[in-house]
Amino acid sequence: MLRNLSSYFLRTLREDPADAEVDSHKLLVRAGYIRRTAPGIYTWLPLGLRVLRKVEDVVREEMDRMGAQEVHFPGLIPADPYKATNRWDEYGPTLFKLQDRKGGDYLLAPTHEEMFTLLVKDMYSSYKDLPLTLYQVQTKYRDEARPRAGLIRGRDFVMKDAYSFDVSDEGLDASYQAERDTYERIFQRLGLDYVIVSAMSGAMGGSRSEEFLHPSPIGEDTFVRSPGGYAANAEAVTTPAPDPLDASGVGPKRVVPTPDCPTIDTLVDLLNAEYPREDRPWTAADTLKNVVVVLTHPDGARELLVVGVPGDREIDMKRLEASVAPAEVEMAQDEDFSSHPELVRGYIGPEAIGPNSPLRAVGEDGEPTGSVRYLVDPRIVEGTCWVTGANIDRHHVLDLVMGRDFSADGTIEAAEVREGDLAPDGSGPLHLERGIEVGHIFQLGRKYAQALGLTVLDENGKSRVVTMGSYGIGVSRVMAALAEANHDERGLAWPAGIAPFDVHILATGKGDEVFDAARGLAEDLDGSGLDVLFDDRRKVSAGVKFADSELVGIPLSLVVGRSLADGLVEIRVRATGERTEIPVAEAADAIRELHEQLLEKGE
Ligand code: ATP
Ligand code: MG
């Protein structure tokens, strides 16, 4: 294919868009790949669509190779199946809901588990039809709280979603493994660096789940790795509980005045000055911090929850969110405190909350009521001894022993994971990194099939509930991650396999000879199957043409300019900056050869 830049639907911008923080976002807009339509919603321009299609092609080829079959669902779907699985409520405000003229509930699908389950139920009834994997490449809609970084977190984005259907658990394991292998092939072919980490299943439900993360400082996910091979999203890291301690030698709890201690550090200083320990100084790790949050459950019910963590650790909101999902979580506000006078702000201690509270009663359903629920970090085990709030203004309590003086309603993973923490499987200290989630594979199990009645008859004529897996790749996000991984300060530098064009030909001169020679080369290369973008603009300076070409980032360019008088043209390799002058007669062959080399090397 040959396109002339003079008539190509492209305008490059010199200025970064005002709302862009990350390089891939700035460059994709400036280089004319996408245009913003609304927050988190983008229009695809010709250049952008070409790259998106190439990423999709790689995904499709590998999905087809594994035997998955492509279908295509609408984005606009009826609510009933989502009500049947409860996701109509559980998905929360991220779900785009709407009504038709008759008042029927609809949604813009954020993912399609229900629809695929019903489709297979509609068409299949025997174990002989399984296993089956179906997929689609389709636009998804999510009203994200924080759309960000252009295509990386959109509210309208392209996903490849696949679903597997099996009769047995072993079958599901095999389907999951096949998908996992396919993802490895896809990311390897795309040349996108990835790490596979254990993940939380989140709003999907189900058991085994792994994410494919592209390591990147702009990623929103934090993941950990240990020398012994443990790898997990920080959200999924479990804290090994230490053994219980013998606290028989600890004296009785003591309430002490602690004025002017607004922070843990000032509290620790005061303890060391006024109540020094004999064995060692007090540290923040001796204190127990009780943080009040509000959960909003899918049915709209609000619940106050106190989370207790060692005072030397912050609460990690993403870990907390993952632990309480599908409930949404926020910090408690003034009105939450005023309706719970037992919570003395700044001095909250276990004795006023959870099972320790005098307000605690048991409701008709056997569930605890009256007092606020209290969940603690798994490190807070029996026999551990804490300095914490005394539930009296400007007072703390010392030597408050877990199991002796207080207990909790359970444990929660909400404290931050830190560099050097030990891996839960004993494989050594954890190293923290950031990454972009580009793929996610889940073993859903029978949850969706059960809720929607997808069964098949087995070899004995017995009805069996089908077990499922669900597998996503963020196709448009992958494109942004590739842009992020392949650029410099002057612009994009696409790998040859997904670049919008194979070669950019620049005619930089005034005379017709230059333009004629350049067009000749463009036609030659087009004739041999390469995709050519030809900068044939007559009144544009060489400087502007070079700048545009570096911004747009096509892997090879061929400059036909002043040296043509000596029979020479210049070949430039975008990624390395290499420049070579060669005789014009050899130029087309040289480009063809270089193009092959780049494809082979995956660059
Ligand atoms: P995230 O944690 O980033 O919000 P998720 O876990 O909600 O993602 P999944 O439901 O697992 O996402 O969706 C499958 C894939 O779709 C993700 O791995 C990611 O690559 C992509 N994806 C999810 N949300 C978005 C979005 N808002 N914009 C672009 N791609 C997305
Ligand atoms: Mg995910």
Side-chain angles (χ1 to χ4, degrees), residues 510-525:
K510 293 212 171 63
D512 284 343
E513 325 76 68
V514 165
F515 283 82
D516 291 345
R519 180 162 302 280
L521 285 165
E523 282 167 359
D524 182 346
L525 290 167

Side-chain angles (χ1 to χ4, degrees), residues 391-423:
N391 304 304
I392 304 170
D393 194 30
R394 287 177 290 175
H395 285 72
H396 281 83
V397 55
L398 275 53
D399 290 341
L400 199 75
V401 175
M402 172 67 165
R404 182 188 79 179
D405 302 319
F406 73 98
S407 56
D409 291 307
T411 58
I412 186 166
E413 294 289 355
E416 63 182 337
V417 177
R418 288 200 306 228
E419 186 78 25
D421 282 352
L422 293 178

Side-chain angles (χ1 to χ4, degrees), residues 41-102:
I41 305 181
Y42 292 86
T43 300
W44 293 89
L45 299 180
L47 275 180
L49 203 51
R50 289 184 64 82
V51 176
L52 182 72
R53 294 282 181 255
K54 292 208 171 177
V55 177
E56 289 179 6
D57 286 348
V58 171
V59 172
R60 279 202 176 88
E61 277 173 36
E62 295 302 330
M63 292 305 295
D64 292 343
R65 186 201 300 268
M66 73 165 269
Q69 301 175 63
E70 185 171 3
V71 298
H72 196 85
F73 275 94
L76 175 62
I77 54 180
D80 282 342
Y82 280 71
K83 290 180 178 168
T85 59
N86 222 17
R87 285 213 297 177
W88 178 254
D89 293 325
E90 285 184 0
Y91 224 95
T94 305
L95 199 61
F96 276 109
K97 296 179 173 178
L98 62 161
Q99 287 195 328
D100 70 2
R101 63 172 76 209
K102 293 184 181 142

Side-chain angles (χ1 to χ4, degrees), residues 214-439:
H214 169 62
S216 163
I218 66 132
E220 284 180 80
D221 285 88
T222 303
F223 68 99
V224 301
R225 281 195 273 193
S226 78
Y230 174 81
N233 192 306
E235 291 170 14
V237 173
T238 51
T239 310
D243 290 332
L245 298 180
D246 173 15
S248 55
V250 179
K253 63 178 182 177
R254 289 187 286 163
V255 174
V256 299
T258 51
D260 305 323
C261 294
T263 64
I264 302 261
D265 285 346
T266 49
L267 173 65
V268 169
D269 289 346
L270 177 133
L271 292 172
N272 281 319
E274 305 276 333
Y275 312 98
R277 292 175 68 115
E278 280 167 13
D279 52 345
R280 58 170 175 82
W282 294 104
T283 69
D286 296 313
T287 68
L288 169 57
K289 180 160 70 179
N290 295 300
V291 179
V292 190
V293 297
V294 182
L295 304 186
T296 307
H297 293 283
D299 63 2
R302 275 166 66 85
E303 183 203 355
L304 233 53
L305 171 73
V306 179
V307 177
V309 295
D312 62 335
R313 287 187 190 253
E314 298 299 329
I315 297 258
D316 176 336
M317 283 311 272
K318 287 189 82 175
R319 272 170 58 75
L320 175 56
E321 274 163 19
S323 293
V324 300
E328 305 246 316
V329 57
E330 58 190 320
M331 298 313 269
Q333 310 295 322
D334 288 347
E335 63 267 25
D336 299 308
F337 283 97
S338 51
S339 57
H340 282 272
E342 80 276 18
L343 302 177
V344 183
R345 232 169 159 169
Y347 302 90
I348 297 167
E351 292 163 290
I353 42 182
N356 324 292
S357 166
L359 304 174
R360 176 57 61 99
V362 177
E364 276 169 21
D365 55 0
E367 291 291 316
T369 65
S371 69
V372 174
R373 201 150 62 100
Y374 186 42
L375 298 175
V376 295
D377 184 82
R379 294 172 191 83
I380 300 170
V381 292
E382 212 167 295
T384 51
C385 184
W386 302 95
V387 176
T388 186
N391 304 304
I392 304 170
D393 194 30
R394 287 177 290 175
H395 285 72
H396 281 83
V397 55
L398 275 53
D399 290 341
L400 199 75
V401 175
M402 172 67 165
R404 182 188 79 179
D405 302 319
F406 73 98
S407 56
D409 291 307
T411 58
I412 186 166
E413 294 289 355
E416 63 182 337
V417 177
R418 288 200 306 228
E419 186 78 25
D421 282 352
L422 293 178
D425 65 352
S427 62
L430 298 177
H431 174 55
L432 268 66
E433 282 174 71
R434 296 191 75 81
I436 301 172
E437 182 189 320
V438 286

